[in-house]
């Protein structure tokens, strides 16, 4: 174990000049009907409780939020977007608020959303201004909703306004008297900061650095511009740096390697006047969405390394982070660093993954003409970890300790009952699932024309990626559908399938970002009747490395066995049993072409029917042992 260096300034001096902004008004933004959601008010409250319990808050300059003026938000957002976000909580939208939210990617609104969004943006402006002016040495803004996904004219990914981008533009364009001419934005949220990247892509005054899960383009927000090849353009070429992890389970060693071999050398050459951190903590050990493994002391070490730049003027603005314990402990560790407390860093495995080293090299090669400091050779003969197994990637680390205990809020994350295997009643049906095929053909249409979508049309993709309509789904053998259309089930999805537009492809047909080809959809295209977020005990049973629609990553199946220590965070959609079978048909390529007329037909019997549902309801169990098809076991 080695003692990490303390900040240069004396602890007593810094302690009186660290800003901490918290305002209960930002907890008013919540789901409209009280549904569970990972981005909820308890995130802020858990952090605030931790900082108070440990005596950190009393050592800081505690600030209240201030609303951002429209003219400052307008530096990065359109007037139409600002108008809608500020009015969405008014009575004018009481009857249409939820419908409008569904048009966006992973967004909800309620009567407190407008005020919370304006306060979040204004709060980051407030603390950034005080740090830039020298009134504070550094600051932490505990804000929500988060911001780094929000784009010029669109809310997405839980984000309404891009808080950090608004503050950066304020310092550069509205307060030249503060002398801030160069800003380093460090986005260590596990998701790519797509909105922030686009807002400064041509601007050499802002060096944007984002380290995030990419998973070959399949991890949210599933956009190709999260790749390391996107380095900015025109005057901003070289000022956009993406470090895209190929998989989950990256931890302290991987992030420290990215800091030491990419960020820190470039930051020294750039010499920023202030550092704004998009401080998402969903790469933390135990986070249900991120699947990575940074410890609280890991975050503290990353922050300590940044204190050597910009005279230690750092502003941290909260972004993601959805495990209450890990987010509270991680913010607490960062606050202690800013206050000048010494800490001891230790990690059981301080070796980065082999893939991390390869990505670092790729990023350096891409940027070395812009930043000659990256032309030097990397160390050789390092001890590297191999890529984690798929079973490691998909198993959540909710139950793993992160060093310190903090009371969990009751009801913040719910769970469901464990279902044990007991009988083989539906093994014949499940044996029809094709789980052993990796090399699956993808069909495309050679030409297309625009036609009106019909619920029973099959959707294909043209060479240019556009969606086309071709064949009709046959009405053959539909007798079983009538009864199943009146029974509802909860379909659990996880990973990228938690993004509703992807899931809806199974139901309504079509193709969302990150998919290789479109789905044909269900015969019943009605949207889900409800949505729930759940943490469920599981054990990964088997999976397929790729599918025609989803590409690399494929489908994994969760076995709700008896081990309560293994959990997965899932999004559950309430759909009909008929729709559920249509999903199974599509996932397992049981939708067939009729050679006579070119139509596409579903199987003439369901995989899961009413008798199977009745059996499972009675016995609370299914048994998979009799399945004889070859499985890819992780």
């Amino acid at each position: 174990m080695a003692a990490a260096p303390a900040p240069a300034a004396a602890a007593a001096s810094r302690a009186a000049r660290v800003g901490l902004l918290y305002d209960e008004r930002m907890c008013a933004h919540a789901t409209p009907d009280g549904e569970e959601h990972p981005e909820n008010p308890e995130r802020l409250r858990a952090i605030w409780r931790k900082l108070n319990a440990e005596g950190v808050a009393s050592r800081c300059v505690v600030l209240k939020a201030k609303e951002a003026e429209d003219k400052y938000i307008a530096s990065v957002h359109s007037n139409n977007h600002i108008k809608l976000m500020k009015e969405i909580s008014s009575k004018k939208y009481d009857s249409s608020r939820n419908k409008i939210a569904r048009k966006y990617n992973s967004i909800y609104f309620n009567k407190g959303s407008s005020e919370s969004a304006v306060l979040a943006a204004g709060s980051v402006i407030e603390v950034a201004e005080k740090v830039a002016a020298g009134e504070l040495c550094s600051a932490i803004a505990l804000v929500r909703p988060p911001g780094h996904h929000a784009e010029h004219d669109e809310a997405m990914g839980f984000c309404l306004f891009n808080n950090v981008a608004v503050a950066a533009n304020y310092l550069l364009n509205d307060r030249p008297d503060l002398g801030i001419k160069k800003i380093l934005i460090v986005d260590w949220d596990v998701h790519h900061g797509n909105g922030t990247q686009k807002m400064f892509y041509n601007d050499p005054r802002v060096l944007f650095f984002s380290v995030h899960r990419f998973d070959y383009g399949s991890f949210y927000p599933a956009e190709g511009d999260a790749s390391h090849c996107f380095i900015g353009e025109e005057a901003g070429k070289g000022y956009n740096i993406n470090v895209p992890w190929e998989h989950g389970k990256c931890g302290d060693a991987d992030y420290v390697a990215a800091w030491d071999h990419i960020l820190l050398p470039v930051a020294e050459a750039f010499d920023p006047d202030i550092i704004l951190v998009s401080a998402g903590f969903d790469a933390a050990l135990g986070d249900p969405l991120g699947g990575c493994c940074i410890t609280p002391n890991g975050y503290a070490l990353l922050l300590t390394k940044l204190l050597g730049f910009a005279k230690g003027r750092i502003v941290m603005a909260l972004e993601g982070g959805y495990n209450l314990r890990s987010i509270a402990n991680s913010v607490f560790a960062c606050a202690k660093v800013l206050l000048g407390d010494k800490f001891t860093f230790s990690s059981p495995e301080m070796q980065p993954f082999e893939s991390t080293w390869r990505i670092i090299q790729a990023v350096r090669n891409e940027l070395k003409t812009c930043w000659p400091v990256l032309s030097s050779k990397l160390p050789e003969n390092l001890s590297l970890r191999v890529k984690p197994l798929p079973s490691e990637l998909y198993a959540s680390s909710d139950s793993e300790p992160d060093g310190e205990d903090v009371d969990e809020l009751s009801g913040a994350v719910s769970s469901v009952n464990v279902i044990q295997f007991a009988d083989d009643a539906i093994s014949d049906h499940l044996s029809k699932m094709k789980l052993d095929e990796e090399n699956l053909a993808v069909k495309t249409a050679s030409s297309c024309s625009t036609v009106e979508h019909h619920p029973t049309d099959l959707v294909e993709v043209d060479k240019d990626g556009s969606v086309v309509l071709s064949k009709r789904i046959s009405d053959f053998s539909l007798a079983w559908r009538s009864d199943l259309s009146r029974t509802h089930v909860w379909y659990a999805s996880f990973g990228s399938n938690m993004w509703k537009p992807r899931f809806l492809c199974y139901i309504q047909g079509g193709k969302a970002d990150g998919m290789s080809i479109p789905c044909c959809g269900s015969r019943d295209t009605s949207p889900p009747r409800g949505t729930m977020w759940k943490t469920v005990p599981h054990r990964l049973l088997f999976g397929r490395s790729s599918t025609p629609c989803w590409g690399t990553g494929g489908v994994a199946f969760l076995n709700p066995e008896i081990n309560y220590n293994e959990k997965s965070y899932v999004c559950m959609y309430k759909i009909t049993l008929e729709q559920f079978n249509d999903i199974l048909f599509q996932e397992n390529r049981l939708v067939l072409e009729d050679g006579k007329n070119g139509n596409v037909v579903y199987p003439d019997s369901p995989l899961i029917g009413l008798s199977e549902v009745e059996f499972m309801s009675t016995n609370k169990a299914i048994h998979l042992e009799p399945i004889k098809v070859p499985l890819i076991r992780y």
Side-chain angles (χ1 to χ4, degrees), residues 122-177:
S123 296
V124 183
I125 290 177
E126 174 75 1
V127 297
E129 181 180 44
K130 290 184 179 299
V131 171
E135 296 178 33
L136 299 170
C137 292
S138 58
I140 301 174
L142 301 179
V143 297
R144 59 178 295 277
H148 71 149
H149 290 310
E151 300 194 350
H152 175 68
D153 198 35
E154 183 177 2
M156 65 176 289
F158 311 159
C159 303
L160 304 188
F161 291 137
N162 196 312
N163 308 317
V164 166
V166 170
N169 268 285
Y170 174 79
L171 295 179
L172 291 170
N173 301 322
D174 294 289
R175 291 298 308 274
D177 57 301

Side-chain angles (χ1 to χ4, degrees), residues 223-538:
E223 296 178 358
D225 61 5
S227 163
H228 73 281
C229 298
F230 286 77
I231 63 172
E233 59 187 13
E234 300 175 357
K237 184 177 180 180
Y239 293 89
N240 192 88
I241 302 176
N242 288 323
V243 181
W245 301 141
E246 293 179 356
H247 52 72
K249 294 297 177 183
C250 292
D252 296 342
D254 304 282
Y255 282 78
V256 167
W259 254 237
D260 289 348
H261 300 293
I262 302 175
L263 176 56
L264 300 186
V266 174
E268 184 173 4
F270 180 65
D271 190 22
D273 297 313
I274 194 170
I275 300 174
L276 306 183
V277 181
S278 274
F281 294 94
D282 40 9
L285 181 67
D287 190 89
L289 297 188
C292 288
C293 302
I294 304 181
T295 65
N297 272 359
Y299 282 113
L301 182 58
L302 298 180
L303 186 59
T304 298
K305 289 175 177 286
L306 294 178
L307 281 172
F309 304 97
K311 300 178 182 178
R313 294 191 288 190
I314 294 178
V315 173
M316 299 181 64
L318 188 67
E319 298 282 3
Y322 308 103
N323 177 301
L324 299 183
R325 173 168 35 173
S326 66
I327 194 174
N329 287 341
S330 298
V331 174
F332 170 56
C334 290
K336 290 197 297 182
V337 167
L338 296 181
L339 287 166
D341 294 356
K342 293 182 178 180
F343 72 96
T344 301
F345 179 81
S346 64
S347 179
E349 256 188 308
M350 274 302 288
Q351 294 88 33
F353 284 113
E354 178 275 330
S355 61
T356 294
W357 207 243
R358 184 173 63 253
I359 290 163
I360 288 173
Q361 184 63 70
V363 173
R364 287 168 61 98
N365 285 340
E366 193 73 34
L367 288 163
K368 63 185 179 182
T369 57
C370 303
W371 302 100
V373 69
L374 299 180
S375 299
S376 60
K377 286 188 176 182
L378 289 171
E380 298 179 353
N381 302 318
L382 295 176
S383 176
L384 301 173
R385 290 184 288 163
V386 298
K387 181 178 178 179
L389 296 173
S391 58
E392 294 180 277
L393 298 182
Y394 286 105
S396 170
S397 52
D398 270 55
S399 60
E400 299 180 39
D402 57 6
E404 299 182 61
D405 290 327
V406 62
D407 291 337
E408 296 283 3
L409 295 179
S410 60
V413 180
S414 65
S415 61
V416 297
N417 292 332
V418 173
I419 301 175
Q420 299 182 19
F421 296 143
D423 197 277
D424 60 353
I426 63 172
S427 62
D428 288 341
H429 292 288
L430 293 173
S431 67
K432 297 176 184 178
M433 295 185 180
K434 300 177 181 180
L435 303 169
D436 58 338
E437 301 178 36
E438 297 185 38
N439 301 315
L440 303 174
V442 175
K443 290 188 175 183
T444 60
S446 58
S447 62
C448 69
S449 60
T450 303
V451 294
E452 185 178 355
H453 183 79
H454 187 279
T456 58
D457 285 329
L458 175 66
V459 194
E460 293 187 352
V461 62
D462 198 6
K463 291 180 179 179
D464 64 359
S466 60
V467 173
V468 300
L469 304 171
S470 59
K471 309 181 183 82
R472 299 289 294 274
I473 297 174
S474 170
D475 289 343
F476 178 69
S477 299
L478 300 178
W480 58 271
R481 292 180 174 270
S482 178
D483 289 339
L484 302 195
S485 67
R486 296 191 291 270
T487 301
H488 288 84
V489 297
W490 287 97
Y491 172 88
S493 61
F494 71 107
S496 60
N497 274 11
M498 287 196 293
W499 182 30
K500 193 171 184 178
R502 288 194 178 209
F503 169 74
L504 288 179
C505 293
Y506 282 135
I507 303 298
Q508 299 174 344
K511 176 176 177 286
D513 287 344
M515 294 171 58
S516 300
I517 64 170
C519 296
C520 58
S522 172
R523 180 170 176 78
D524 177 3
T525 60
S526 303
R529 278 70 168 177
T531 305
M532 288 193 300
W533 297 82
K534 293 288 184 181
T535 299
V536 297
H538 82 281

